[in-house]
Short mmCIF file of all heavy atoms in Angstrom, two decimals:
data_model
loop_
_atom_site.label_atom_id
_atom_site.label_comp_id
_atom_site.label_asym_id
_atom_site.label_seq_id
_atom_site.Cartn_x
_atom_site.Cartn_y
_atom_site.Cartn_z
N ILE R 31 1.81 1.74 8.68
CA ILE R 31 0.35 1.84 8.64
C ILE R 31 -0.35 1.11 9.77
O ILE R 31 -1.54 1.31 9.99
CB ILE R 31 -0.21 1.39 7.27
CG1 ILE R 31 0.17 -0.07 6.96
CG2 ILE R 31 0.28 2.32 6.17
CD1 ILE R 31 -0.46 -0.63 5.71
N LYS R 32 0.39 0.30 10.50
CA LYS R 32 -0.21 -0.37 11.67
C LYS R 32 -0.20 0.59 12.87
O LYS R 32 -1.11 0.58 13.68
CB LYS R 32 0.57 -1.64 12.00
CG LYS R 32 -0.10 -2.51 13.04
CD LYS R 32 0.63 -3.83 13.20
CE LYS R 32 -0.10 -4.74 14.15
NZ LYS R 32 0.56 -6.05 14.24
N VAL R 33 0.83 1.43 12.93
CA VAL R 33 0.98 2.38 14.03
C VAL R 33 0.21 3.68 13.75
O VAL R 33 -0.46 4.21 14.62
CB VAL R 33 2.48 2.70 14.26
CG1 VAL R 33 2.67 3.76 15.32
CG2 VAL R 33 3.24 1.43 14.63
N GLU R 34 0.33 4.15 12.52
CA GLU R 34 -0.33 5.40 12.11
C GLU R 34 -1.27 5.09 10.95
O GLU R 34 -0.83 4.89 9.81
CB GLU R 34 0.73 6.43 11.68
CG GLU R 34 0.18 7.78 11.35
CD GLU R 34 1.26 8.74 10.84
OE1 GLU R 34 2.46 8.48 11.06
OE2 GLU R 34 0.88 9.73 10.21
N ASN R 35 -2.55 5.01 11.26
CA ASN R 35 -3.54 4.65 10.24
C ASN R 35 -3.51 5.59 9.04
O ASN R 35 -3.20 6.76 9.17
CB ASN R 35 -4.96 4.69 10.84
CG ASN R 35 -5.20 3.58 11.83
OD1 ASN R 35 -4.54 2.54 11.81
ND2 ASN R 35 -6.15 3.79 12.73
N ILE R 36 -3.87 5.03 7.90
CA ILE R 36 -3.98 5.82 6.68
C ILE R 36 -5.22 6.70 6.82
O ILE R 36 -6.28 6.21 7.22
CB ILE R 36 -4.17 4.90 5.46
CG1 ILE R 36 -3.02 3.94 5.34
CG2 ILE R 36 -4.35 5.71 4.18
CD1 ILE R 36 -3.32 2.77 4.44
N THR R 37 -5.08 7.96 6.48
CA THR R 37 -6.24 8.86 6.53
C THR R 37 -6.99 8.78 5.20
O THR R 37 -6.44 8.33 4.19
CB THR R 37 -5.80 10.32 6.77
OG1 THR R 37 -5.07 10.77 5.62
CG2 THR R 37 -4.96 10.46 8.02
N GLN R 38 -8.21 9.24 5.22
CA GLN R 38 -9.01 9.26 4.00
C GLN R 38 -8.33 10.15 2.96
O GLN R 38 -8.26 9.79 1.78
CB GLN R 38 -10.42 9.78 4.31
CG GLN R 38 -11.31 9.75 3.09
CD GLN R 38 -12.77 9.95 3.42
OE1 GLN R 38 -13.23 9.62 4.50
NE2 GLN R 38 -13.51 10.51 2.48
N GLU R 39 -7.78 11.26 3.40
CA GLU R 39 -7.08 12.18 2.50
C GLU R 39 -5.86 11.51 1.84
O GLU R 39 -5.65 11.64 0.64
CB GLU R 39 -6.64 13.42 3.29
CG GLU R 39 -6.01 14.50 2.43
CD GLU R 39 -5.58 15.71 3.26
OE1 GLU R 39 -6.28 16.08 4.22
OE2 GLU R 39 -4.51 16.27 2.94
N GLN R 40 -5.09 10.76 2.64
CA GLN R 40 -3.93 10.05 2.10
C GLN R 40 -4.36 9.00 1.07
O GLN R 40 -3.75 8.89 0.00
CB GLN R 40 -3.14 9.38 3.23
CG GLN R 40 -2.38 10.33 4.11
CD GLN R 40 -1.78 9.64 5.32
OE1 GLN R 40 -2.35 8.70 5.88
NE2 GLN R 40 -0.61 10.12 5.74
N LEU R 41 -5.41 8.27 1.40
CA LEU R 41 -5.89 7.22 0.50
C LEU R 41 -6.42 7.82 -0.80
O LEU R 41 -6.18 7.29 -1.88
CB LEU R 41 -6.97 6.37 1.19
CG LEU R 41 -7.46 5.16 0.40
CD1 LEU R 41 -6.31 4.21 0.05
CD2 LEU R 41 -8.54 4.43 1.17
N GLU R 42 -7.11 8.95 -0.70
CA GLU R 42 -7.63 9.61 -1.90
C GLU R 42 -6.49 10.09 -2.80
O GLU R 42 -6.59 10.01 -4.02
CB GLU R 42 -8.57 10.76 -1.52
CG GLU R 42 -9.90 10.24 -0.98
CD GLU R 42 -10.78 11.31 -0.33
OE1 GLU R 42 -10.36 12.49 -0.23
OE2 GLU R 42 -11.90 10.95 0.09
N LYS R 43 -5.41 10.57 -2.20
CA LYS R 43 -4.23 10.99 -2.96
C LYS R 43 -3.61 9.78 -3.67
O LYS R 43 -3.23 9.85 -4.84
CB LYS R 43 -3.21 11.66 -2.03
CG LYS R 43 -1.90 12.03 -2.67
CD LYS R 43 -2.03 13.17 -3.66
CE LYS R 43 -0.65 13.58 -4.16
NZ LYS R 43 -0.72 14.39 -5.35
N MET R 44 -3.52 8.64 -2.95
CA MET R 44 -2.99 7.42 -3.55
C MET R 44 -3.85 6.99 -4.74
O MET R 44 -3.33 6.62 -5.79
CB MET R 44 -2.93 6.29 -2.52
CG MET R 44 -1.83 6.41 -1.50
SD MET R 44 -1.81 4.91 -0.47
CE MET R 44 -2.02 5.61 1.14
N GLU R 45 -5.16 7.05 -4.56
CA GLU R 45 -6.09 6.63 -5.61
C GLU R 45 -5.96 7.54 -6.83
O GLU R 45 -6.00 7.08 -7.97
CB GLU R 45 -7.53 6.67 -5.08
CG GLU R 45 -8.58 6.17 -6.07
CD GLU R 45 -9.13 7.24 -7.00
OE1 GLU R 45 -9.02 8.44 -6.67
OE2 GLU R 45 -9.68 6.87 -8.05
N GLU R 46 -5.77 8.83 -6.59
CA GLU R 46 -5.60 9.80 -7.66
C GLU R 46 -4.38 9.42 -8.52
O GLU R 46 -4.44 9.46 -9.75
CB GLU R 46 -5.40 11.19 -7.04
CG GLU R 46 -5.42 12.34 -7.99
CD GLU R 46 -5.21 13.64 -7.23
OE1 GLU R 46 -6.01 13.98 -6.34
OE2 GLU R 46 -4.20 14.32 -7.54
N LEU R 47 -3.30 9.01 -7.87
CA LEU R 47 -2.08 8.62 -8.57
C LEU R 47 -2.19 7.24 -9.21
O LEU R 47 -1.66 7.00 -10.30
CB LEU R 47 -0.88 8.66 -7.62
CG LEU R 47 -0.49 10.02 -7.06
CD1 LEU R 47 0.59 9.88 -5.99
CD2 LEU R 47 -0.01 10.95 -8.17
N ALA R 48 -2.87 6.33 -8.53
CA ALA R 48 -2.97 4.93 -8.99
C ALA R 48 -4.07 4.73 -10.03
O ALA R 48 -4.01 3.81 -10.83
CB ALA R 48 -3.22 4.01 -7.80
N GLY R 49 -5.10 5.58 -9.98
CA GLY R 49 -6.19 5.44 -10.93
C GLY R 49 -7.39 4.68 -10.41
O GLY R 49 -8.47 4.75 -10.98
N SER R 50 -7.21 3.94 -9.32
CA SER R 50 -8.35 3.21 -8.73
C SER R 50 -7.99 2.74 -7.33
O SER R 50 -6.82 2.62 -6.99
CB SER R 50 -8.74 2.00 -9.59
OG SER R 50 -7.78 0.98 -9.47
N TYR R 51 -9.04 2.48 -6.55
CA TYR R 51 -8.82 1.91 -5.21
C TYR R 51 -8.49 0.43 -5.33
O TYR R 51 -7.76 -0.13 -4.53
CB TYR R 51 -10.05 2.11 -4.32
CG TYR R 51 -10.24 3.56 -3.92
CD1 TYR R 51 -11.27 4.32 -4.47
CD2 TYR R 51 -9.38 4.17 -3.02
CE1 TYR R 51 -11.42 5.65 -4.13
CE2 TYR R 51 -9.53 5.50 -2.67
CZ TYR R 51 -10.56 6.24 -3.23
OH TYR R 51 -10.69 7.56 -2.88
N GLU R 52 -9.02 -0.21 -6.37
CA GLU R 52 -8.75 -1.64 -6.56
C GLU R 52 -7.25 -1.89 -6.76
O GLU R 52 -6.71 -2.89 -6.27
CB GLU R 52 -9.52 -2.17 -7.77
CG GLU R 52 -9.36 -3.66 -7.96
CD GLU R 52 -10.20 -4.24 -9.09
OE1 GLU R 52 -10.78 -3.47 -9.88
OE2 GLU R 52 -10.26 -5.49 -9.17
N ALA R 53 -6.55 -0.97 -7.42
CA ALA R 53 -5.10 -1.11 -7.63
C ALA R 53 -4.34 -1.08 -6.31
O ALA R 53 -3.25 -1.63 -6.20
CB ALA R 53 -4.60 0.01 -8.54
N LEU R 54 -4.93 -0.46 -5.29
CA LEU R 54 -4.30 -0.34 -3.97
C LEU R 54 -4.71 -1.46 -3.02
O LEU R 54 -4.17 -1.59 -1.93
CB LEU R 54 -4.69 1.00 -3.34
CG LEU R 54 -4.19 2.24 -4.07
CD1 LEU R 54 -5.00 3.46 -3.66
CD2 LEU R 54 -2.72 2.45 -3.80
N PHE R 55 -5.67 -2.27 -3.43
CA PHE R 55 -6.28 -3.28 -2.57
C PHE R 55 -5.56 -4.62 -2.67
O PHE R 55 -5.30 -5.12 -3.76
CB PHE R 55 -7.75 -3.45 -2.96
CG PHE R 55 -8.54 -4.31 -2.02
CD1 PHE R 55 -9.12 -3.76 -0.89
CD2 PHE R 55 -8.72 -5.66 -2.27
CE1 PHE R 55 -9.87 -4.55 -0.02
CE2 PHE R 55 -9.46 -6.46 -1.41
CZ PHE R 55 -10.04 -5.90 -0.28
#
Side-chain angles (χ1 to χ4, degrees):
I31 60 174
K32 190 173 185 177
V33 176
E34 185 184 342
N35 291 337
I36 301 163
T37 66
Q38 183 167 331
E39 185 180 323
Q40 288 172 326
L41 185 58
E42 287 169 357
K43 175 70 174 164
M44 286 185 237
E45 184 272 340
E46 189 180 300
L47 295 172
S50 72
Y51 290 107
E52 184 176 10
L54 296 161
F55 189 86

